Amino acid sequence: QVQLVESGGGLVQAGGSLRLSCAASGLTVTYNAMGWFRQAPGREREIVAAINWKGEQTYYADSVKGRFTISRENTKNTVYLQMNSLKPEDTAVYYCAASRYGGYFSVVNQDGMDYWGKGTLVTVSS
């Protein structure tokens, strides 16, 4: 059974940091592009960041550029999202997802997104 399990969410004050992890099981994601998405209450899901299979190319939504960093450790089958300078508007459920393709643009275009985690809640207080 393929699972993507997110962890690391929680409550943090504005300006603080959190590191999210996404561990894959039942699937080796070495050759899969990965991404982080988020959905705030009453809003549509949006992409936050994406990374290609090698970890050499990344994409960030404008709203998180310069504050968030996506990375991966293929030996651990894990993807991370380091979130710094958090703002109340970053409050959302954060989801990890894996594309069947290796390029990060597949995540940006939500093309071939075969696997999704159940999400982890991030709450940023003002």
Side-chain angles (χ1 to χ4, degrees):
Q1 183 181 359
V2 176
Q3 283 189 311
L4 298 179
V5 180
E6 303 95 337
S7 61
L11 173 64
V12 64
Q13 288 188 330
S17 298
L18 284 174
R19 188 194 196 202
L20 305 184
S21 299
C22 171
S25 62
L27 170 73
T28 299
V29 295
T30 302
Y31 300 107
N32 301 76
M34 302 289 293
W36 287 95
F37 295 77
R38 67 186 181 187
Q39 186 166 20
R43 301 188 65 175
E44 292 187 355
R45 185 178 65 199
E46 62 177 358
I47 185 170
V48 175
I51 190 166
N52 76 328
W53 70 277
K54 280 188 175 181
E56 296 173 340
Q57 296 176 313
T58 57
Y59 165 90
Y60 296 95
D62 288 342
S63 58
V64 306
K65 275 182 184 175
R67 299 188 298 122
F68 290 12
T69 302
I70 188 171
S71 61
R72 63 190 299 162
E73 282 190 82
N74 286 342
T75 56
K76 294 185 177 181
N77 229 20
T78 300
V79 176
Y80 306 97
L81 185 68
Q82 177 67 44
M83 305 186 296
N84 299 328
S85 303
L86 283 160
K87 304 175 181 180
E89 51 263 43
D90 294 319
T91 294
V93 177
Y94 283 71
Y95 299 91
C96 171
S99 170
R100 71 183 68 165
Y101 305 114
Y104 74 90
F105 40 83
S106 65
V107 177
V108 175
N109 295 327
Q110 297 194 47
D111 180 21
M113 304 304 294
D114 287 343
Y115 305 105
W116 292 83
K118 293 183 178 181
T120 184
L121 177 63
V122 172
T123 304
V124 185
S125 63
S126 57

